[in-house]
Amino acid sequence: MTVKRLSILLSALLFAGEATAQDVLPLEGLVISETDPERTLISKPNWLRGLHVIGSDLPEQQRPQIEAVIPEEWLGTTICARITTIVGNYTALVEFNVPEEVNTRRARLNFISRYEDIISEVSPDNSGITLEKGRCIGDTSKTDRQYLANFWNEGAETLGAEDQDIELMLNMNIARADELLAEAELIEAGSTRIRLEPACARIDSPDALAYNFRCSFTIPAEYMPTHADATLRFGYKRLYRGRVSAPRSAVIFLGVAP
């Protein structure tokens, strides 16, 4: 069976200058809020602060840039982008309306920022973006929320090999935790669910104010799903002073080529 790669590897085409306007769906965002970078905001709600496919740095002239593949069931809906730096000196909420009919679901999410010089310099190591289905309002503590993996100021190294593993990184804001007990399960219609092993650790840095834990895991190429709207369920429990918390989870769309 031929393994399909993540369509978000589109960035490699952009490096080569081969992509045309028809290859990418441009989405223009409405900035709901954007903080003053002179302030530091701590302990804001929302445990997931970044959900990223790890690639290589984009050229400076192409930043800032968010890329993802829109799931079919998200067409005609609104996406909320929540952005923060790890130190909390920049946060933003941006809404994107997705058309019901599109020629491609490979999307580049653009918005006009007052602080473009700041977000042009960031990466998944020192900042995070989550793309969530729905408007930027409502309860941010509910479980089974739907998220979309994305590239943030990064892109794929190559589109040449079909045996490429995919690495995902989750930046997380977890209060009162000595350790995270995390699990991930790859789900594809009509096939066996595949358990993955996330590696989670506290970020040992005094700058870790907006988020303080990071989980990462690899999806081996041989396990990559082969339908366009494949999902992955990620869940965790907090271990604090010998006590285990109630579980929390999220559904993650990976973005596989239709």
Side-chain angles (χ1 to χ4, degrees), residues 34-201:
E34 199 173 25
T35 65
D36 183 341
E38 297 300 320
R39 301 171 57 201
T40 296
L41 304 179
I42 307 173
S43 299
K44 296 193 70 173
N46 208 17
W47 62 268
L48 186 55
R49 296 296 177 86
L51 172 54
H52 303 290
V53 184
I54 300 305
S56 56
D57 287 347
L58 287 176
E60 293 292 335
Q61 63 269 24
Q62 292 187 18
R63 300 184 182 186
Q65 187 166 293
I66 312 167
E67 288 194 356
V69 174
I70 309 299
E72 184 174 7
E73 67 180 67
W74 288 27
L75 298 179
T77 68
T78 299
I79 296 176
C80 176
R82 292 182 172 90
I83 308 170
T84 184
T85 55
I86 190 170
V87 298
N89 68 335
Y90 175 86
T91 63
L93 293 177
V94 187
E95 289 187 350
F96 297 87
N97 292 321
V98 184
E100 292 185 3
E101 297 183 4
V102 296
N103 293 325
T104 177
R105 289 195 269 133
R106 300 173 174 180
R108 184 176 306 147
L109 286 69
N110 307 305
F111 68 99
I112 298 175
S113 170
R114 292 178 293 165
Y115 309 110
E116 187 171 306
D117 56 334
I118 293 177
I119 57 177
S120 293
E121 296 295 327
V122 299
S123 72
D125 286 326
N126 58 25
S127 70
I129 294 180
T130 60
L131 303 179
E132 184 176 7
K133 185 180 181 182
R135 298 187 59 193
C136 295
I137 58 175
D139 183 7
T140 60
S141 65
K142 64 182 180 180
T143 191
D144 284 343
R145 297 160 64 181
Q146 293 188 11
Y147 292 95
L148 177 59
N150 68 85
F151 272 119
W152 175 222
N153 285 345
E154 291 189 351
E157 294 180 359
T158 179
L159 275 175
E162 291 193 345
D163 59 351
Q164 183 173 355
D165 296 344
I166 300 300
E167 183 183 356
L168 295 182
M169 175 189 290
L170 286 75
N171 293 326
M172 303 163 63
N173 181 43
I174 311 295
R176 295 187 298 278
D178 299 319
E179 183 181 352
L180 291 188
L181 308 175
E183 59 183 17
E185 187 177 51
L186 190 63
I187 304 170
E188 183 176 4
S191 66
T192 304
R193 298 189 177 198
I194 300 169
R195 293 182 65 86
L196 304 172
E197 299 296 331
C200 300

Side-chain angles (χ1 to χ4, degrees), residues 11 15 19 32 92 102 131 164 213-214 229 249:
S11 299
F15 287 149
I32 305 300
V102 296
L131 303 179
Q164 183 173 355
F213 272 86
R214 176 171 288 141
D229 294 320
S249 64

Side-chain angles (χ1 to χ4, degrees), residues 13-20 23:
L13 292 178
L14 300 179
F15 287 149
E18 298 174 1
T20 66
D23 293 321

